[in-house]
Amino acid sequence: MSDRPFRLHDTLTGKVKELIPLEPRHLKFYSCGPTVYSYAHIGNFRSFLTADLVVRTAKAIGWDVTWVSNITDVGHLTMDDMADAGGEDKLEGALRSKEGERFHNVWELAEYYAAAYLEDWQRLNLTEPDIRPKATQHVREQILAAESLIKSGHAYETSSGVYFSVESRPDYGKLSGNTDRESLIRGARDVVTDETKRDPADFAIWKKDEKHLMQWFSPYGWGFPGWHIECSVMARAYLGDTLDLHSGGEDNIFPHHECEIAQSEALTGKPFANHWLHTRFLLVNGEKMSKSKGNFFTVRDLLSQGTHPLALRYALISGVYSKQLNFTLQTLEDAKRHVQRFEKALQLAESAQGDGPNVFGDSLDDLYDQALEAMLNDLNTAVALAKSIEGAKQITKESELNAASGEAAARFLDQINRLLGIVNSDYEAVAVKVEEAKPEPKADAAWVEAKIAERAAAKKAKDFALADAIRKEVTEAGVVLQDHPDGTTTWSVD
Ligand code: AMP
Ligand code: ZN
């Protein structure tokens, strides 16, 4: 089982090549996680599922895996398709939006969506990574990285931040092929070019900003870290200077991963990752998902409409990661039928009894082996799923199974489940705890004003107990009251 080659497409060389861990049979893998400013959509999960399938396949050939997948809870700006992104921090923007009204502050918002993401993760039956670092827990390392890059001449400080000098890395652009600096500069279309930078293509490692809702003190004053530096330092902290594999969605190639490579390789003088894997986009009815087109689905949208979580998982992995996948309701319908077939096969295996020979002979073992072979061949989920279904059909063709056949069927379903996660969930009915933990809606202004008036009336009537009770009620709703000498009361949100 051990020495079967595991072949994956590598964006850096543009080829499908063997994945070779530096330490034999121990894969050190970093996959980019979400920015937790809203619920993850099914496209995000297509990328996360690719990472999950890499891990499952590596384990199926007996490798150890150390898997790190981050949570971005600061520093990812809205206009992120150019190296030096502009706009506001995605989390701050979310807090100011309609959906953000129910949160008291940006920390609470990040925590809420991070919990929702983990819940969706379990519902879709993804393996648990070994480490899930958060960017906000690693700001110190990000500052140290900025210091080190300044010292080595790869970065410089201006009045607006610390910037990585793209010119200091002659191989900048090697991942994306984006070496045409003119296009980078043009990429700054809507954004006011930062005049303090030496080159418009340089990107931020640190942004100075005393008004940012999440801010840290640094040698450059108050501010917050850039998005790219977070993955560079978290990958290094947990996996060392050189990773065996790094993954993300296709939009991560440029700028995110290109910038990670530049920073990390400037910091360590060693290759950052030996293999780069990128999942092509999920399209919905042939189009990019967007809220305005009404074709935007979060995982929880679909699950709350009654979609079986394993059917959604099946649908999202039904096409190979290396090609865009067009998601339709038909894909979901087909997936549902397949998942039902696995359930039926499982029931037959569980109720098997009686004597007799294994009616399947070697056929189920062979089908599993072909499914595994397909996965080892650049994660060919389409073939692996077809082999799985073929096996399930062989099982459900029987009206009942004897003990020996039941054992063969159970083994096949268990192996397929470990490889693809589509037969049985590892997580028993994940509680809807995020919904329950939803923060209370922030007290609305009319309610607070009414309470202030009630309290003023109580005070006037010298009913101080009632006045105090009103203050307590308002405080518990996260509102701070301030009484002024002229008898008026103003309020603010805690
Ligand atoms: P974000 O939360 O924007 O950082 O995205 C999380 C991950 O989802 C990143 O690796 C993205 O590249 C990936 N991603 C975003 N949209 C899609 C999509 N439509 N299909 C596949 N992957 C996506
Ligand atoms: Zn990342």
Side-chain angles (χ1 to χ4, degrees), residues 58-79:
K59 287 184 177 168
I61 50 168
W63 289 5
D64 282 334
V65 180
T66 306
W67 179 17
V68 179
S69 188
N70 68 299
I71 290 180
T72 299
D73 52 358
V74 66
H76 190 171
L77 305 187
T78 40
M79 293 161 171

Side-chain angles (χ1 to χ4, degrees), residues 42 282-286 297 302 312 315-316 325-329 331-332:
I42 55 174
L282 179 83
L283 306 178
V284 173
N285 296 325
F297 296 111
L302 291 169
L312 179 53
L316 291 174
L325 175 69
N326 190 23
F327 184 87
T328 62
L329 289 180
T331 327
L332 209 48

Side-chain angles (χ1 to χ4, degrees), residues 30-33 70 72 227-228 230-232 234 246-247 252 256-257 260:
Y30 186 94
S31 65
C32 281
N70 68 299
T72 299
W227 172 36
H228 316 307
E230 87 178 56
C231 286
S232 284
M234 290 191 284
H246 192 315
S247 76
N252 285 155
H256 188 46
H257 291 162
E260 281 185 37

